Amino acid sequence: MGRVRAFGYLVATVKDIEAWKVFAADVHGMQIVEHTEDRLKLRLDERAWRIDLHRGEVEHIDAVGWEVRGPEDIEALEKALIDHGYSTRRASAEEAAYRQVTDYLAFTDPDGHGIEVYYGQHRESTPFVSPTGARFVTEGMGIGHVMFAVSESAPFRELYMDILGLGLSDFIDIGPDPGTFLHCNPRHHSVAFAHRPGFGPRLGHLMVQVDNLDTVGRAYDRILEGAAPLGATLGKHTNDEMISYYVKTPSGWEMEYGYGGLEIDEDTWVPGRWNAAHFWGHQRVG
Ligand SMILES: [Fe+2]
């Protein structure tokens, strides 16, 4: 049976491409691959791209991309999805070429977010060059993690654990419904979700990780100077030990910008259950 190996890309429809250019490249150090009034495509590492934003009137998550090792995994996951009642669609050759992957499978999650399972993403022979000197931690672990505020946790546990094959990292009791944190490589979690009355369903945040605390601190200074609205102050998470801050993206959902996330050994990891999400900091702002 196939399973996903990394959260590898994000495609979204956004209203304000120019604000995103400042936010993603100038403040947070992502490299611009393509920038027009209708599109902003970004690199974080040797891959041809990791984040692809298209201008549109309605903000939407078009694709959370999950990487697999090859066509056998795509076929196995397609069968498992169909067996669990999902409608799936295989990309045409033109669509795969547009995504710069070899092949992908598309479906929507129970809350309507686009999900893609892909393999063979294009790599660039030219080096990644950050406008701020940031180096993103992606090797063998994808671009980071996504956290969703979901309408109900059970169907998401089925999707990510039973079908896509992620393992349980831990729970955090952050409300009546515990947050569920799942891994598919050494990164402590690649996806998390929780049902919180009054929130969502929607993408809560995208986390990207850099290799130096000073890179986080310099970007934090820019946020405090007004570059973008802070969501939560600098703090340290309990479960993945990430030192990070949260900032509102131009799309309303947040980005977590962090350093020092825990890497786990999938074979020996034993899930726990935390009573809080933070050791210190992460005070909500606004
Ligand atoms: Fe996070």
Side-chain angles (χ1 to χ4, degrees), residues 145 147 189 205 207 237 246 256:
H145 67 236
M147 167 110 195
H189 61 278
H205 69 264
M207 190 286 299
H237 276 301
Y246 289 73
E256 180 184 5

Side-chain angles (χ1 to χ4, degrees), residues 103-208:
D103 192 11
Y104 73 86
L105 167 73
F107 63 99
T108 53
D109 77 13
D111 285 337
H113 307 294
I115 310 282
E116 292 175 2
V117 174
Y118 71 91
Y119 82 98
Q121 189 181 19
H122 294 197
R123 290 168 192 246
E124 280 293 328
S125 57
T126 55
F128 167 74
V129 180
S130 165
T132 65
R135 288 181 301 269
F136 293 91
V137 177
T138 62
E139 183 63 41
M141 299 195 295
I143 52 169
H145 67 236
V146 274
M147 167 110 195
F148 288 100
V150 295
S151 53
E152 236 189 316
S153 283
F156 281 85
R157 289 197 187 108
E158 179 188 71
L159 171 61
Y160 284 109
M161 299 178 77
D162 302 345
I163 304 175
L164 298 182
L166 285 87
L168 180 64
S169 301
D170 40 39
F171 298 108
I172 303 182
D173 286 312
I174 49 178
D177 181 53
T180 302
F181 296 75
L182 305 175
H183 62 265
C184 57
N185 57 50
R187 190 186 297 285
H188 172 275
H189 61 278
S190 292
V191 65
F193 48 86
H195 169 65
R196 301 185 73 182
F199 289 91
R202 64 174 170 83
L203 174 66
H205 69 264
L206 161 74
M207 190 286 299
V208 295

